[in-house]
């Protein structure tokens, strides 16, 4: 589920972001890649922005075994996490990998046990306002983000600041999330 297109700023951290795919819908490029890896995979692609009540429509009742959340905008992230808890859909959410450099610091925990991550703090705060306190696994890093890493933006895309990301950290967060999902489904 995504309604974004591939931009040059995605090249350092997204496998589908190539010169040949610039401007393509992310869901189309991911669909092509996943289908090329496994032609028998059942893939549903939705060109939608995840927000508000449409999250419940996207999730449906018991439609998914697991949701991996990699949304980087606060409100849609919180909307998705709240909906997962309210529909009893298992979820693991990637918190902030920006400006982190040390892969040995990455952890998986319940959201209430995450710490030293501003995104996790803001997500918890918003979830608490919606009476959601547990039921969400997160991948996070308690590594300190240096103040100089915060870049003030023009406010477009609902973001006041951005933090640059080293190429390997989002992939490591994704591998941690995938590992947790697989081990949980297999009950290992």
């Amino acid at each position: 589920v995504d309604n974004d297109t591939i931009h040059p700023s995605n090249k350092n951290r997204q496998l589908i972001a190539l010169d040949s795919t610039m401007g393509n819908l992310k869901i189309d490029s991911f669909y092509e890649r996943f289908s090329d890896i496994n032609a028998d995979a059942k893939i549903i692609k939705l060109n939608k922005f995840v927000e508000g009540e449409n999250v419940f429509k996207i999730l449906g009742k018991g439609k998914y075994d697991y949701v991996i959340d990699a949304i980087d905008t606060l409100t849609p992230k919180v909307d998705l996490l709240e909906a997962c808890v309210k529909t009893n859909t298992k979820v693991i959410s990637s918190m902030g990998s920006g400006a982190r450099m040390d892969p040995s610091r990455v952890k998986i925990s319940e959201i209430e046990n995450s710490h030293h991550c501003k995104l996790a703090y803001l997500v918890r705060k918003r979830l608490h306002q919606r009476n959601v306190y547990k039921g969400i696994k997160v991948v996070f890093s308690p590594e300190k983000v240096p103040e100089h890493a915060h870049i003030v933006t023009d406010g477009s895309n609902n973001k006041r600041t951005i933090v640059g990301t080293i190429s390997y950290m989002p992939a490591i967060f994704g591998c941690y999330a995938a590992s947790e999902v697989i081990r949980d489904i297999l009950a290992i």
Side-chain angles (χ1 to χ4, degrees):
V1 179
D2 203 328
N3 78 327
D4 201 3
T5 57
I6 300 169
H7 298 279
S9 64
N10 304 135
K11 288 174 89 173
N12 73 319
R13 67 186 184 284
Q14 294 179 7
L15 199 56
I16 57 165
L18 308 166
D19 287 338
S20 62
T21 61
M22 284 300 119
N24 290 1
L25 289 173
K26 288 182 179 180
I27 60 166
D28 289 340
S29 292
F30 274 120
Y31 181 87
E32 288 173 22
R33 180 160 177 81
F34 295 156
S35 296
D36 204 18
I37 293 169
N38 181 355
D40 295 328
K42 181 181 175 189
I43 302 167
I44 300 166
K45 56 181 185 170
L46 298 173
N47 183 21
K48 294 184 182 285
F49 187 74
V50 175
E51 67 180 335
E53 289 303 312
N54 86 343
V55 179
F56 289 96
K57 291 176 187 169
I58 291 168
L59 286 178
K61 180 105 174 116
K63 190 174 181 179
Y64 301 100
D65 295 322
Y66 233 105
V67 169
I68 297 177
D69 160 45
I71 298 172
D72 61 358
T73 306
L74 187 59
T75 299
K77 184 177 213 63
V78 172
D79 289 345
L80 176 62
L81 296 174
E82 176 189 24
C84 285
V85 169
K86 290 186 175 177
T87 60
N88 293 315
T89 303
K90 289 184 176 186
V91 63
I92 188 162
S93 180
S94 181
M95 294 293 117
S97 66
R100 270 90 176 178
M101 302 283 288
D102 185 354
S104 71
R105 305 284 309 272
V106 177
K107 301 181 180 315
I108 297 173
S109 76
E110 294 294 323
I111 192 163
E112 63 267 22
N113 297 321
S114 60
H115 54 91
H116 294 89
C117 173
K118 185 164 185 171
L119 180 58
Y121 166 77
L122 294 170
V123 168
R124 279 194 314 275
K125 183 177 176 180
R126 293 250 184 119
L127 286 169
H128 291 173
Q129 292 169 349
R130 300 176 186 198
N131 292 316
V132 175
Y133 294 90
K134 52 178 63 180
I136 300 165
K137 290 182 185 178
V138 296
V139 179
F140 76 101
S141 172
E143 183 178 354
K144 184 172 172 49
V145 173
E147 197 56 44
H148 70 271
H150 296 270
I151 302 164
V152 177
T153 70
D154 61 3
S156 62
N157 217 10
N158 295 323
K159 295 179 185 176
R160 287 177 277 178
T161 62
I162 57 171
V163 179
T165 306
I166 192 78
S167 60
Y168 54 83
M169 288 304 279
I172 290 168
F173 274 51
C175 287
Y176 269 69
S179 168
E180 184 67 17
V181 169
I182 292 167
R183 289 181 296 119
D184 198 11
I185 288 173
L186 296 176
I188 296 175

